[in-house]
Amino acid sequence: MAAAKEILLRRPVAATIRLTVPAGGARPATPVGPALGQYRLNLMAFCKDFNARTQKYKPDTPMAVTITAFKDNSFEFTVKSPSVSWYVKKAAGVDKGSTRPGHLTVTTLSVRHVYEIAKVKQTDPFCQYMPLESICKSIIGTANSMGIKIVQDLE
Amino acid sequence: MLARNFIKHFPCRNLSRHHILRDRVRPLIFFTSSTPQSSISISASLSSSSSSSSSSSSPSCFTDESFAAPYLSVRIHCPKHVVDPFSDALLCFGASSVAVDEDIEEEDDEDAASGSSHASKEICIESIFPVHEEVKTCISQAANSIGLKEIPKFKVEMGDEQDWITKNQDLFQPVEIAERLWIVPEWSSPPVPEAVNIILNPGFAFGTGEHPTTRLCLLLLQSLIKGGEAFLDYGTGSGILAIAALKFGAASSVGVDIDPLAIKSTSHNAALNNIPLEKLELHLAPSENSSSGRETPLQKEQFDVVIASILLNPVMELADHIVSFGKPGATIGISGILSEQLPIVKERYSTFLENISTATIGDWVCMSGTKKGEFIDN
């Protein structure tokens, strides 16, 4: 995607589409179908491409996809792994965060969880050059804002 | 025009493997904004297929012709400077997708009351929601979460899958894969009648022939099939490879897929190409969650050519299984993988195959090799 800027200058952009698709599970039905079909993009090509590129994620992980549709019906897309808060909730096994973060702690996570999440996040196109430590700090921050404490080891 | 109309309704078996992303059950009350335009009559019947039609990847929308999956298409007028955070917020609060048109300078359906000075500062977002989502709540929550003082104006319409399917059918044109080999959609006539023409109506199953993965397999088949071979298409999709093999002269083709839709699509396409039933056998393979065990009623070591054009994970997991169907000396072809994924696939299959060669189109790779004569069965 390094040449994205070049491409945007060369080809006129029709629209930017954002949606959530389960990793390895793109199919030409809702939501992919109508969203891309509206701009007459090749659904099969997107599904195959997306599925092949998300093979390394756990199946059905909701991936955030941003598609740039060009006027000539071609397209480019980038895939981001789910938000940190999604991972934190999944790792902690809770559905939602605390109603009073800072005052009420819902559950705890260990430093190891943070590390694992950071490793996945580092493969995101936007985080690739961030040092792991910064990513970890940001994850801890997010967890705290959800009322989830990070401890050294889970008992 | 829709040849699919004659495909009969049948119960879709493998629904359990599709995880329903949104578990919330909402009553069937609708929106406070404009009334939906089309077919409200299907809303009553939605309650049974509702959970499946609001999941992101359900094949049942194709099987039930009268219940094609509806969705809500919402146009939201949002201030330009908050488009990005607002789109993200919408996705968090329940929208399936959010699209922003890039080059709209002015609002075309802006109310006269707001005046033209507002029009240039607003941008239109097209959003798609599952049919049971409470659109107004979602939009107001999204607006609150980014600090917008007022709820943006929005308009809701009921959309249907069939709309964009029919609209986009003309995207599928006759494609020349190789010299004298064409893939022709059901609704066109072959541009070169004397060439080998494969007529297709892919429906929701993969395999129109244009994608590099399918193309690579077709070229491989063309070079391999001399006449009289037994061919296995593992992951048959629309059946394009199975049918192509027969057209090239194979004695028989077997197609296997985990998706019942693919089986339907393949039988339909076989009929379009006048393939007799005894030449093309189809099997529905069990998917991971089904309890009926892994074995398909196919004999091992039965095929001269086996092609599996799927994805990296199934191809790695099922390596033993796929290769076991080939006779010793048979050619096994693997496609649907990216060039960066090739090394691990090659490593996995090198225990079974020799003379491994690869062909590449763009980022996609097709790997083929011949099955070793003797090897230790794991």
Side-chain angles (χ1 to χ4, degrees):
Chain A
M1 294 308 285
K5 248 213 155 119
E6 258 178 279
I7 294 171
L8 285 174
L9 291 173
R10 267 192 273 133
R11 285 187 279 176
V13 179
T16 305
I17 308 170
R18 260 174 266 222
L19 64 164
T20 308
V21 190
R27 273 181 187 75
T30 312
V32 178
L36 274 65
Q38 260 184 341
Y39 296 96
R40 296 167 60 77
L41 304 181
N42 190 332
L43 292 164
M44 298 304 170
F46 171 75
C47 290
K48 283 203 180 184
D49 215 326
F50 173 84
N51 287 340
R53 286 179 206 282
T54 51
Q55 287 292 283
K56 58 187 178 209
Y57 293 96
K58 227 167 117 188
D60 292 336
T61 309
M63 312 295 295
V65 189
T66 304
I67 303 165
T68 308
F70 299 102
K71 292 226 172 86
D72 58 353
N73 297 338
S74 59
F75 62 91
E76 304 257 336
F77 68 93
T78 54
V79 179
K80 265 174 68 176
S81 54
S83 61
V84 171
S85 59
W86 186 86
Y87 275 111
V88 168
K89 279 192 263 188
K90 197 116 194 296
V94 295
D95 227 1
K96 29 170 99 156
S98 156
T99 46
R100 291 171 58 217
H103 299 276
L104 197 65
T105 301
V106 174
T107 183
T108 56
L109 277 185
S110 78
V111 175
R112 231 178 59 84
H113 283 117
V114 175
Y115 177 63
E116 295 292 326
I117 298 173
K119 282 216 303 208
V120 176
K121 272 302 191 176
Q122 212 182 27
T123 61
D124 253 7
F126 302 102
C127 295
Q128 259 165 10
Y129 306 108
M130 283 172 69
L132 209 57
E133 204 192 319
S134 320
I135 303 181
C136 286
K137 284 202 189 145
S138 137
I139 295 172
I140 296 177
T142 306
N144 285 335
S145 76
M146 294 166 65
I148 297 179
K149 259 181 64 177
I150 307 295
V151 295
Q152 196 62 32
D153 269 308
L154 289 177
E155 299 85 21
Chain B
M1 156 116 147
L2 286 178
R4 289 192 287 276
N5 283 332
F6 78 84
I7 294 180
K8 294 198 266 288
H9 164 65
F10 72 100
C12 181
R13 281 175 39 195
N14 292 330
L15 219 46
S16 55
R17 70 188 164 99
H18 292 293
H19 297 285
I20 298 173
L21 286 186
R22 301 192 201 287
D23 285 321
R24 292 170 272 176
V25 177
R26 301 280 165 117
L28 279 180
I29 29 159
F30 290 91
F31 359 94
T32 54
S33 197
S34 69
T35 51
Q37 288 183 0
S38 57
S39 41
I40 275 290
S41 56
I42 56 172
S43 64
S45 34
L46 280 181
S47 45
S48 53
S49 54
S50 63
S51 50
S52 48
S53 57
S54 57
S55 84
S56 65
S57 52
S58 164
S60 66
C61 52
F62 178 56
T63 64
D64 283 312
E65 284 306 296
S66 50
F67 290 44
Y71 55 89
L72 297 176
S73 171
V74 184
R75 290 201 109 201
I76 308 172
H77 299 220
C78 141
K80 217 169 193 168
H81 62 279
V82 293
V83 160
D84 281 339
F86 188 56
S87 316
D88 284 333
L90 278 174
L91 284 172
C92 286
F93 283 104
S96 308
S97 80
V98 172
V100 178
D101 276 342
E102 282 301 313
D103 63 349
I104 295 195
E105 299 278 291
E106 281 128 40
E107 272 310 310
D108 35 23
D109 51 344
E110 189 65 50
D111 286 347
S114 32
S116 56
S117 58
H118 275 275
S120 55
K121 295 208 200 94
E122 290 203 343
I123 204 166
C124 195
I125 299 182
E126 296 258 359
S127 182
I128 297 192
F129 284 78
V131 119
H132 290 306
E133 202 60 48
E134 299 242 353
V135 176
K136 183 155 191 226
T137 319
C138 168
I139 294 181
S140 61
Q141 280 177 332
N144 278 338
S145 76
I146 57 170
L148 272 186
K149 278 183 253 117
E150 46 180 42
I151 301 177
K153 285 200 297 291
F154 63 95
K155 183 172 132 169
V156 184
E157 274 176 17
M158 181 85 103
D160 202 273
E161 301 241 326
Q162 280 308 114
D163 302 336
W164 56 264
I165 294 175
T166 40
K167 254 204 309 185
N168 290 342
Q169 268 176 351
D170 60 338
L171 283 179
F172 183 20
Q173 299 283 325
V175 173
E176 186 175 19
I177 303 292
E179 190 154 330
R180 301 180 53 78
L181 171 61
W182 287 77
I183 313 286
V184 179
E186 187 182 353
W187 44 84
S188 306
S189 51
V192 180
E194 316 80 51
V196 176
N197 291 308
I198 304 176
I199 322 275
L200 270 201
N201 181 342
F204 277 119
F206 292 130
T208 60
E210 309 166 296
H211 199 269
T213 52
T214 319
R215 222 174 240 221
L216 285 165
C217 292
L218 284 168
L219 292 169
L220 179 66
L221 264 184
Q222 205 180 27
S223 65
L224 285 176
I225 304 278
K226 308 281 181 275
E229 288 92 344
F231 173 61
L232 172 62
D233 186 5
Y234 207 91
T236 190
S238 60
I240 183 173
L241 297 179
I243 295 170
L246 288 171
K247 291 234 165 180
F248 291 143
S252 65
S253 273
V254 176
V256 177
D257 206 293
I258 55 171
D259 188 355
L261 263 187
I263 305 293
K264 272 293 172 187
S265 181
T266 306
S267 342
H268 177 60
N269 288 323
L272 285 178
N273 288 280
N274 303 317
I275 308 272
L277 281 176
E278 56 274 9
K279 289 220 163 193
L280 176 56
E281 227 181 276
L282 292 173
H283 293 278
L284 183 64
S287 62
E288 312 87 54
N289 294 343
S290 106
S291 52
S292 57
R294 287 224 128 203
E295 299 310 305
T296 48
L298 281 179
Q299 282 183 335
K300 307 285 177 185
E301 305 212 343
Q302 199 188 345
F303 298 97
D304 302 294
V305 181
V306 179
I307 293 193
S309 177
I310 333 175
L311 287 166
L312 176 67
N313 290 343
V315 143
M316 293 292 283
E317 254 177 61
L318 299 170
D320 301 292
H321 195 62
I322 293 171
V323 176
S324 70
F325 289 116
K327 296 180 188 157
T331 308
I332 316 282
I334 305 291
S335 185
I337 48 183
L338 296 164
S339 31
E340 66 204 21
Q341 298 165 340
L342 177 63
I344 47 173
V345 180
K346 207 165 174 178
E347 198 195 318
R348 179 84 169 91
Y349 278 80
S350 52
T351 36
F352 311 106
L353 306 180
E354 50 196 4
N355 304 326
I356 294 184
S357 63
T358 56
T360 312
I361 295 182
D363 279 336
W364 302 94
V365 164
C366 175
M367 183 190 84
S368 61
T370 40
K371 180 170 170 176
K372 291 183 188 164
E374 289 161 14
F375 60 97
I376 322 274
D377 228 327
N378 291 353

